[in-house]
Amino acid sequence: MQTNWWQNAVFYQVYPRSFQDSNGDGIGDIQGIIQRLDYLADLGVNVIWLSPVYQSPNVDNGYDISDYQAINPEYGSMVDMEQLIEAAKIRKIKIVMDLVVNHTSDQHPWFLEARKSKDNPYRDFYIWRDPATDGSVPNDLQSNFKGSAWAFDAVTGQYYLHFYAKEQPDLNWQNPKVREAVYQMMTWWLQKGIGGFRMDVIDLIGKEPDRKIKENGPQLHAYLQEMNARVLSQYDVVTVGETWGATPEIGQMYSNPNRHELSMIFQFEQINLDKQSGMTRWDLKPLIPAELHAVFSKWQLALDGVGWNSLFWSNHDLPRIVSRWGDDSQYREKSAQALAIYLHMLKGTPYIYQGEEIGMTNYPITSYHEIEDIESRRVYQQRQQQGYAISDILNGINAKGRDNARHPMQWNGKNQSGFTDGTPWLPVNPNYLEINVELAKQDERSIYATYQQLIKLRKRNAIIRQGRFENVPTGNQNVISYKRMLGEQSWLVIINLSKNRESYTLPIQHFGPNQKIISNNLLLNKIATSGVLQPYDALVVAIGNEEK
Ligand code: NOJ
């Protein structure tokens, strides 16, 4: 398979509101990102995925866009944006923009026009339906933010569709004029020199609401192929689709280069492993590492040679990974390193979410008033009505709520952790005195140092980028292991993803040189056919070709 630049790259997601404030208003901004580009270059990343900085009323923190070709003044101006693209380019970093085109803001001029009358030229940019005969909603489709997906608009007496907040009306992709407008906007951004797009909930654009089809609608792939032919194929860019409902088969459809759709997708199959079966993600259950590994192994094998995987633990919608599947107290550093080593040795393109590289943790809250995120507020209200105990509701939100990942980046031990000179829009986690970039950079055994080393290893070793993947059973559900193989080379990865000592037995009789590549335990250098690992031990060794 031909190699593309983005298959050798490491991505870093910046959530601009919380990355770096440059003007003291408590909100991160584009000039703040520019100030921190050297930090990102030093870490070794090649691409920044920038969460939305477009003009927006911020009902959903920028995922409700009212002008795709303007910058939200809170973040700066278009001149700042052009400066960011240029300053990043000097450091060989590309900027990937968030493309949010399943829906717009209800303040977007298209929607303001559309709602004026049934015969407005923009009416069909959105999805309108008459009320049911009793005046109620057209059908029982639900919004992903809870409640009906239909909102009534009194001006014309019809309902419009919104799969998120009612202030985020869904675009009608069946209308060729919508697609044309989106393609023009994408081209405008590509001509500014951006490196590509992360496509927000792109699996929803083929929706057919009358048949109650939300994701993976019949026209989805046809639309993406059209987008590719009209826009993407004209540039050497990367695209990554956010696709919550993708199976490995669907993942192939998106990312097989012969189909000319996307470079890769974010798949979320592992996301449900720590929820009670048949319940919502707010009903918690502990993760079994072997189940996680089974999901990753399946995707590694399914896309090998016929598609491409993205590799990520977290983003602005998910909790902090060290709090979720590591241990954010006694073993914070070691478990964060174990998770990093596990993910970054897989085949695919790794994504680091801001702060993950220093092991930032969740931020527990004790009351409704501390919730900023629209989704968590809705969940709180709905579960309160359903009779859940407040402590259970808060437990769920503290474990899974989206604010966890949105608290400000922890840069140093100074006031507000160096994020702002003002009052931050969300409080800085009080643990910033122990967890911050400045401290991490002084410590050659820090989580940061592990990430930096993992990125270097990836750059230098084709086996990580291109090698075959093979799952290795360990006889222990808390110990996960896999091999990577390229030509004569063979590397073994083994991780104890628990806070206990765990034993393992591998189906490998003869090891070659057993040379250590990376580990989070100075005393762990070799692997044998069987043995015991300390809590969160992680080791990668070159084992030679044991079949010889
Ligand atoms: C996915 C985004 O990542 C999330 O933050 C947003 O709320 C929804 N899509 C709607 O745009």
Side-chain angles (χ1 to χ4, degrees):
M1 211 162 110
Q2 180 206 344
T3 311
N4 296 290
W5 63 266
W6 40 264
Q7 293 175 303
N8 300 328
V10 175
F11 285 51
Y12 186 96
Q13 183 189 352
V14 167
Y15 192 68
R17 208 169 183 76
S18 305
F19 193 59
Q20 178 66 62
D21 177 21
S22 74
N23 62 1
D25 66 357
I27 296 171
D29 47 44
I30 295 173
Q31 284 300 331
I33 303 171
I34 294 173
Q35 286 171 17
R36 295 295 184 183
L37 282 176
D38 284 334
Y39 166 74
L40 296 176
D42 207 30
L43 178 60
V45 302
N46 314 99
V47 181
I48 294 172
W49 152 26
L50 191 62
S51 278
V53 289
Y54 312 95
Q55 190 165 298
S56 161
N58 274 337
V59 169
D60 185 19
N61 282 5
Y63 284 91
D64 48 318
I65 297 170
S66 53
D67 186 343
Y68 291 105
Q69 283 158 248
I71 300 293
N72 182 340
E74 287 179 330
Y75 298 135
S77 64
M78 194 55 79
V79 174
D80 293 320
M81 189 63 220
E82 286 159 1
Q83 210 182 318
L84 172 62
I85 295 170
E86 202 44 43
K89 192 170 163 202
I90 292 168
R91 292 161 179 88
K92 300 197 167 46
I93 294 175
K94 292 177 196 275
I95 303 289
V96 160
M97 299 294 280
D98 219 311
L99 185 77
V100 188
V101 289
N102 172 65
H103 45 266
T104 67
S105 160
D106 65 347
Q107 300 306 307
H108 194 290
W110 297 339
F111 191 72
L112 296 177
E113 281 299 312
R115 76 189 327 176
K116 282 184 182 161
S117 66
K118 285 187 181 170
D119 56 7
N120 187 284
Y122 286 94
R123 185 72 173 180
D124 286 343
F125 268 49
Y126 298 88
I127 298 166
W128 302 89
R129 294 289 180 271
D130 286 330
T133 37
D134 64 354
S136 64
V137 290
N139 64 27
D140 60 0
L141 272 176
Q142 294 292 298
S143 147
N144 292 340
F145 284 163
K146 309 290 170 216
S148 172
W150 297 101
F152 187 67
D153 195 54
V155 181
T156 52
Q158 283 193 313
Y159 284 90
Y160 65 86
L161 183 77
H162 61 93
F163 282 147
Y164 289 87
K166 68 174 187 342
E167 296 84 356
Q168 293 168 293
D170 271 52
L171 283 167
N172 175 15
W173 273 72
Q174 288 178 7
N175 180 351
K177 289 187 184 147
V178 166
R179 307 205 297 275
E180 191 54 42
V182 169
Y183 302 156
Q184 274 181 25
M185 176 271 284
M186 291 172 72
T187 303
W188 186 86
W189 274 105
L190 289 167
Q191 284 171 353
K192 282 200 176 298
I194 63 163
F197 297 103
R198 173 266 185 186
M199 301 189 181
D200 192 69
V201 290
I202 202 67
D203 57 346
L204 301 185
I205 63 173
K207 68 203 114 188
E208 292 204 359
D210 301 322
R211 295 165 64 200
K212 296 199 208 167
I213 296 175
K214 278 175 103 166
E215 50 193 30
N216 299 319
Q219 292 306 310
L220 167 62
H221 295 277
Y223 294 155
L224 291 175
Q225 283 167 3
E226 182 185 81
M227 178 193 281
N228 189 299
R230 293 288 313 283
V231 183
L232 301 170
S233 59
Q234 320 291 316
Y235 301 84
D236 184 16
V237 290
V238 65
T239 50
V240 50
E242 186 199 25
T243 60
W244 284 80
T247 59
E249 293 68 38
I250 297 176
Q252 270 188 41
M253 293 176 73
Y254 287 114
S255 67
N256 188 326
N258 298 332
R259 291 178 49 88
H260 304 287
E261 295 188 17
L262 304 177
S263 312
M264 63 189 122
I265 56 162
F266 292 132
Q267 67 81 18
F268 294 89
E269 199 179 331
Q270 66 278 8
I271 285 313
N272 287 328
L273 296 174
D274 58 1
K275 81 171 179 71
Q276 292 172 40
S277 106
M279 307 286 276
T280 70
R281 82 173 204 256
W282 311 97
D283 302 289
L284 313 173
K285 110 174 187 302
L287 174 80
I288 297 170
E291 291 184 359
L292 176 72
H293 190 49
V295 170
F296 277 119
S297 302
K298 182 168 75 176
W299 279 85
Q300 287 284 300
L301 296 171
L303 295 194
D304 195 28
V306 287
W308 192 252
N309 273 295
S310 72
L311 309 169
F312 71 99
W313 282 130
S314 182
N315 62 32
H316 64 289
D317 295 329
L318 300 172
R320 291 284 177 186
I321 194 60
V322 69
S323 301
R324 184 179 200 177
W325 290 337
D327 171 74
D328 62 8
S329 49
Q330 190 186 355
Y331 296 110
R332 185 185 67 87
E333 295 208 308
K334 205 171 171 199
S335 65
Q337 289 165 330
L339 288 161
I341 292 171
Y342 175 69
L343 195 78
H344 284 248
M345 283 292 148
L346 291 168
K347 185 169 182 174
T349 299
Y351 289 71
I352 301 166
Y353 178 66
Q354 68 183 40
E356 179 187 319
E357 76 279 19
I358 55 166
M360 281 178 59
T361 63
N362 279 354
Y363 186 124
I365 54 162
T366 52
S367 76
Y368 177 79
H369 306 286
E370 293 172 81
I371 304 175
E372 169 73 27
D373 170 36
I374 182 172
E375 183 192 38
S376 294
R377 277 196 239 131
R378 297 278 173 82
V379 165
Y380 187 106
Q381 290 157 356
Q382 194 194 49
R383 286 166 89 83
Q384 198 175 18
Q385 279 160 16
Q386 289 166 344
Y388 282 80
I390 297 294
S391 56
D392 285 344
I393 302 176
L394 285 172
N395 278 346
I397 291 175
N398 281 333
K400 298 278 180 76
R402 308 197 300 177
D403 282 340
N404 280 308
R406 300 179 179 186
H407 288 268
M409 182 71 184
Q410 294 165 208
W411 293 105
N412 55 43
K414 296 192 200 115
N415 196 24
Q416 306 299 357
S417 200
F419 165 68
T420 179
D421 293 335
T423 306
W425 73 281
L426 257 191
V428 174
N429 193 318
N431 64 21
Y432 75 95
L433 291 171
E434 300 94 60
I435 305 174
N436 65 58
V437 166
E438 199 171 278
L439 281 180
K441 287 194 82 166
Q442 286 159 14
D443 175 2
E444 62 183 24
R445 293 187 52 212
S446 67
I447 302 167
Y448 172 87
T450 301
Y451 271 88
Q452 207 179 26
Q453 194 185 350
L454 285 166
I455 295 173
K456 280 197 186 122
L457 282 170
R458 176 169 287 266
K459 296 277 144 69
R460 291 179 188 156
N461 294 282
I463 187 171
I464 305 179
R465 302 190 307 269
Q466 292 155 24
R468 276 188 303 121
F469 168 93
E470 191 180 295
N471 181 29
V472 177
T474 66
N476 182 333
Q477 64 172 9
N478 291 327
V479 178
I480 51 191
S481 177
Y482 60 90
K483 273 197 298 190
R484 299 296 309 280
M485 287 156 296
L486 188 69
E488 292 288 289
Q489 272 187 303
S490 182
W491 286 13
L492 183 90
V493 180
I494 187 161
I495 319 269
N496 173 7
L497 214 52
S498 89
K499 53 177 83 157
N500 303 312
R501 296 176 79 230
E502 301 280 352
S503 57
Y504 65 86
T505 305
L506 303 177
I508 301 176
Q509 294 307 320
H510 307 290
F511 286 95
N514 212 331
Q515 179 207 341
K516 174 163 160 174
I517 306 290
I518 187 171
S519 169
N520 60 355
N521 177 351
L522 282 179
L523 304 174
L524 185 64
N525 297 304
K526 278 184 185 308
I527 205 75
T529 298
S530 62
V532 173
L533 293 173
Q534 301 300 319
Y536 295 106
D537 264 355
L539 174 68
V540 183
V541 280
I543 56 170
N545 190 341
E546 79 273 12
E547 279 137 27
K548 276 213 291 191

